[in-house]
Amino acid sequence: MPTESKYPTPPIPDVDLWGFLFERKDRQFPDDKVIYFDPYTKGSYTYAQVKNTAVEFGKGLKALWDWQKGDVLALFTPNCIDTPAVTWGCHWAGGILSPANPGYTVDELAFQLRDAGAKALVTQLPFIQTARAAAAKVGIPEDRVIIMGDQRDATHKAKHFTSIRNTSGSARYRRTKLKPADDLAFLVYSSGTTGHPKGVMLSHRNIVANTMMIKMAEGGNLDWQGGPSGEGDKLLAFLPFFHIYGLTCLIHQSLYSGLQLVVMPKFDLEDFCRIIQEQKVTFGYVVPPVVLLLSKHPVVAKYDLSTLRMMNSGAAPLTRELVDSVYNRLTIPIKQGYGLSETSPTTHTQPWSDWNKTIGSVGTLLPYQTAKYMSAEEKEVVPGEVGELWIKGPNVFKGYLNNPEGTAHALTEDGYFKTGDVGYQDKEGNFYITDRVKELIKYKGFQVPPAELEGILVSHPKINDVAVIGVYHEEHATELPRAYVVPAAGVENHEKEKLEIATWLSERVANHKKLRGGVHFVDEIPKSVSGKILRRALKAKALEEMKAAKAKL
C-alpha cells in the first residue's frame, strides 16, 4: 500500500501566491519585520517594503508594457534582495516568472527565453551584455531588458526596475485575478541528464501547498522572534534563487514565516563562515559539497559558527560519514531533506529530533503527500526493498512546457510523478534515496549506487572530494566503478596512493562495489550550481581517456 503522510493536513487556501502571502489573516509578525538583508551593502526589505515595491512594479508592468495574464518575465541574475519584490510584482500583474542561471551563455539563455515565450528580461548590470544579446536573438526589444540591484546603467540605455515602478499613470491598475490551481506562477528549468533543459510548469497552488508543507515541518523550530540575538531565526541564503530549492525554501518560506533571510549573491566559504558569525545566523539550507568543505577546510576553524542550531542538506544524497564529520568538528547537527523541481520542491525532511537517529534518511513524508517505491516492472515493492520513488500531492507540477511526451512519461494517469530516484523506506516510514535510476552502475547484473561509494570515500583522510561513475569495459562486457578523486594537499599523484585508496574501499564494501575501473586524480569534480555531480562530464572525460589509451597501443 502507498505510504501517506502522518502530518495533519489543514485545508490549502484557494488563493494565488499574492493572496497567500500578502492578504492573509493569520500573520503574527509586524509590517516592519526585516525579511531580506544584504550583508555586503546592509540594504534590506521589511515585509511592508517588499509588498509595496511589488505592487508598484506590477502596476508599472501593466502601464508600460500592457502586461497581460500569463505573460512571462525572465530573471537572469545572481541572488539579490530585489528578487522577491520583482517576483511578486510579476505575479500581482498576472505574470509568470521564469528564472535563469546567470552562468548561461547567450545561446543557453536564448533557448530558455524562446521556450518560455518571455516578454521581458530582468538582470543585473554585470550581466547586461549577455542578456541583451540573448534577448535580441529571440526578438525581445532592448527596452524590455531592465536591471535591478545596486548598480545603474551609466549610459541610461537600460532602465532600472525602480523606474518601471514609477511609470506615470500606473495608479489606476488593479491586481490580476488568477485561478490558483490552473495559472502558472513559475517556469523553472530542470537540467535533466540529456538534451535541452525542460520547462517545469508550477502553479500558484503548487507553491502555496509546498510553502505550507515546509512551514509545518520546520515551524515548531524556526520562529520570527527570539533566538540568540532577539531578532528571531535567521537563514543564510547562498543557494541560487533561480533554482527551486532556493525559490521556495528560502524566498517564500522566509516571508511566510517572518524569518530574516541573509542573502549572498553566490557561495564563498570564507564569506559564508564570516556572515554566520557576524549576523548570528541560526539555520542554513546547504548542499553536500558545502557540508564537505565544513568537515575538512582549514578556513572554517577561524570562525565561530555556534549560533547555527541546525542545517538542512538537499539536492544530492548525504552520508553518515559527512554528517558525523561535521558534528564531530563543529557540533552542528545536519538533517536531510528531499525534493525535485517537479514537486515544488520539498516532499520529505527529517524531523529536528531525529537528525541523528536516522542519518542517511531523507526523512518522512511532508503533509499532503502519498508515495510508493516501484519495481522496474512498475509493481509496488514492500518496505526494505529498493525501487523507484513515485509521489503524489498538490505540490506536483502540471507538466513540462511544450513537451507532452515528457509529461506523459513523468506523470501517471492517477497523478503520481515518477521521480527517477532509487531508494527504499524502512518499517518506521523513513525514506532513503540511494541514487538516480540513470546513474546506477550496472556491474555484471549487480546495481552499484555511486553516491554510496562517494559517501564512504570522502571520509578517507587523503581525499578532499570524489565522484564515482561507471565506465564500460569491452573485455568484461560490463560497467566498472571508477573514482575520480580530488586529493588532499600534499598527496602525490602516484599509483601507490591510488591503489591504497582502492584497497581501503574494497575492505568496506561488497565485492561487486570495488573500484575495478580504477582511481583517477583530478583537480576538481564538475558540479552544477545546486551541488549535483555532473557525471556526464566525467563520463565524457573517461571516454577521452580510453580513446587516448587506445591510440598509444
Side-chain angles (χ1 to χ4, degrees):
M1 287 288 291
T3 302
E4 302 277 350
S5 171
K6 296 177 182 178
Y7 280 88
T9 52
I12 299 168
D14 189 28
V15 294
D16 64 7
L17 276 167
W18 185 273
F20 177 68
L21 296 171
F22 297 113
E23 295 175 353
R24 55 191 287 207
K25 301 292 189 286
D26 61 344
R27 177 168 57 92
Q28 296 179 313
F29 56 91
D31 282 356
D32 63 357
K33 168 73 181 181
V34 173
I35 305 294
Y36 304 108
F37 177 75
D38 184 330
Y40 298 94
T41 67
K42 311 305 179 189
S44 65
Y45 278 87
T46 64
Y47 174 85
Q49 286 170 336
V50 173
K51 180 179 180 180
N52 294 337
T53 304
V55 170
E56 290 172 5
F57 181 64
K59 287 181 176 180
L61 288 177
K62 289 192 169 195
L64 191 65
W65 295 334
D66 189 29
W67 204 256
Q68 300 294 315
K69 178 180 172 180
D71 282 351
V72 175
L73 178 67
L75 204 58
F76 179 63
T77 170
N79 291 358
C80 175
I81 60 171
D82 293 338
T83 298
V86 168
T87 297
W88 295 316
C90 172
H91 290 157
W92 186 94
I96 302 164
L97 195 88
S98 185
N101 185 338
Y104 274 172
T105 63
V106 171
D107 286 343
E108 288 170 331
L109 177 58
F111 169 80
Q112 181 168 329
L113 296 176
R114 185 181 294 110
D115 193 63
K119 299 293 176 64
L121 175 61
V122 181
T123 188
Q124 289 195 59
L125 191 60
F127 303 86
I128 192 72
Q129 298 306 325
T130 300
R132 280 178 175 154
K137 273 199 161 198
V138 301
I140 295 175
E142 189 174 4
D143 65 353
R144 291 199 178 194
V145 179
I146 63 173
I147 59 175
M148 65 180 188
D150 295 318
Q151 293 178 283
R152 303 292 198 271
D153 181 9
T155 69
H156 303 292
K157 286 183 179 179
K159 289 184 178 180
H160 195 266
F161 92 104
T162 51
S163 67
I164 304 294
R165 287 166 44 194
N166 297 327
T167 302
S168 62
S170 62
R172 62 188 175 90
Y173 290 96
R174 297 291 177 264
R175 181 163 78 90
T176 299
K177 292 183 179 179
L178 299 170
K179 295 180 179 178
D182 297 330
D183 291 322
L184 300 186
F186 295 100
L187 267 173
V188 299
Y189 277 73
S190 176
S191 56
T193 53
T194 59
H196 284 299
K198 299 191 291 287
V200 177
M201 298 189 290
L202 297 171
S203 70
H204 283 260
R205 180 176 171 80
N206 289 153
I207 307 298
V208 167
N210 204 244
T211 304
M212 289 182 65
M213 290 157 60
I214 296 168
K215 170 71 171 175
M216 282 185 268
E218 312 287 13
N221 299 290
L222 297 175
D223 189 17
W224 64 272
Q225 56 186 346
S229 64
E231 299 178 77
D233 276 297
K234 294 183 179 183
L235 281 58
L236 187 55
F238 69 87
L239 293 171
F241 292 166
F242 63 81
H243 188 273
I244 191 63
Y245 190 0
L247 201 59
T248 306
C249 296
L250 297 175
I251 289 181
H252 286 82
Q253 186 195 179
S254 56
L255 192 87
Y256 185 64
S257 299
L259 308 172
Q260 186 176 124
L261 197 67
V262 183
V263 178
M264 296 175 66
K266 62 179 181 179
F267 180 75
D268 174 89
L269 180 61
E270 184 130 19
D271 282 0
F272 174 87
C273 295
R274 177 182 56 79
I275 290 167
I276 289 172
Q277 177 179 291
E278 290 177 356
Q279 299 300 323
K280 296 182 170 54
V281 171
T282 60
F283 186 87
Y285 283 101
V286 294
V287 289
V290 172
V291 179
L292 181 63
L293 287 171
L294 291 173
S295 73
K296 297 200 173 199
H297 203 287
V299 78
V300 176
K302 291 167 52 181
Y303 295 92
D304 176 7
L305 309 184
S306 62
T307 55
L308 273 175
R309 299 196 290 121
M310 177 69 75
M311 290 192 295
N312 184 93
S313 180
L318 189 67
T319 59
R320 171 175 288 278
E321 286 80 6
L322 269 181
V323 174
D324 286 346
S325 180
V326 171
Y327 191 76
N328 291 338
R329 185 184 190 191
L330 302 171
T331 329
I332 297 171
I334 306 173
K335 66 186 184 73
Q336 193 170 187
Y338 173 78
L340 308 101
S341 297
E342 292 87 346
T343 55
S344 303
T346 313
T347 60
H348 299 69
T349 194
Q350 283 179 285
W352 285 45
S353 58
D354 286 354
W355 76 271
N356 61 347
K357 299 174 187 173
T358 55
I359 294 176
S361 164
V362 296
T364 55
L365 280 172
L366 293 189
Y368 314 114
Q369 305 294 278
T370 304
K372 55 187 177 181
Y373 283 103
M374 304 291 281
S375 70
E377 297 74 35
E378 299 198 345
K379 303 291 184 186
E380 187 175 356
V381 301
V382 298
E385 288 189 11
V386 173
E388 180 188 1
L389 179 62
W390 291 15
I391 296 174
K392 181 163 65 173
N395 52 308
V396 171
F397 75 136
K398 295 176 69 66
Y400 297 114
L401 182 71
N402 306 325
N403 190 345
E405 185 180 345
T407 301
H409 180 73
L411 295 172
T412 66
E413 288 186 3
D414 57 349
Y416 279 96
F417 168 57
K418 302 176 183 180
T419 67
D421 283 321
V422 173
Y424 63 95
Q425 63 173 312
D426 62 22
K427 292 178 181 177
E428 285 72 46
N430 298 296
F431 281 67
Y432 293 79
I433 301 297
T434 53
D435 237 304
R436 294 288 294 168
V437 170
K438 294 176 181 176
E439 291 176 355
L440 286 173
I441 300 166
K442 307 287 175 54
Y443 172 71
K444 294 186 175 179
F446 291 97
Q447 292 187 338
V448 181
E452 178 191 340
L453 303 190
E454 290 157 2
I456 299 169
L457 285 164
V458 293
S459 67
H460 193 289
K462 292 184 178 179
I463 295 177
N464 272 350
D465 201 359
V466 62
V468 175
I469 63 167
V471 291
Y472 188 78
H473 196 285
E474 290 180 4
E475 187 178 328
H476 293 88
T478 188
E479 285 186 310
L480 303 179
R482 173 182 292 177
Y484 282 92
V485 166
V486 178
V491 176
E492 298 290 335
N493 189 1
H494 293 154
E495 289 306 314
K496 178 171 71 76
E497 303 281 9
K498 298 173 184 177
L499 182 60
E500 181 205 318
I501 290 170
T503 303
W504 179 87
L505 180 72
S506 69
E507 295 167 353
R508 290 162 172 78
V509 295
N511 181 61
H512 65 279
K513 297 178 182 178
K514 292 180 179 180
L515 295 174
R516 289 178 169 85
V519 174
H520 290 228
F521 282 4
V522 291
D523 293 332
E524 64 176 350
I525 303 298
K527 290 174 183 172
S528 72
V529 289
S530 63
K532 289 186 173 71
I533 294 169
L534 298 176
R535 297 187 200 277
R536 61 182 179 273
L538 287 174
K539 291 202 171 192
K541 178 180 176 63
L543 202 59
E544 290 301 316
E545 289 169 347
M546 285 188 279
K547 284 181 182 176
K550 279 185 178 180
K552 288 180 180 178
L553 296 177

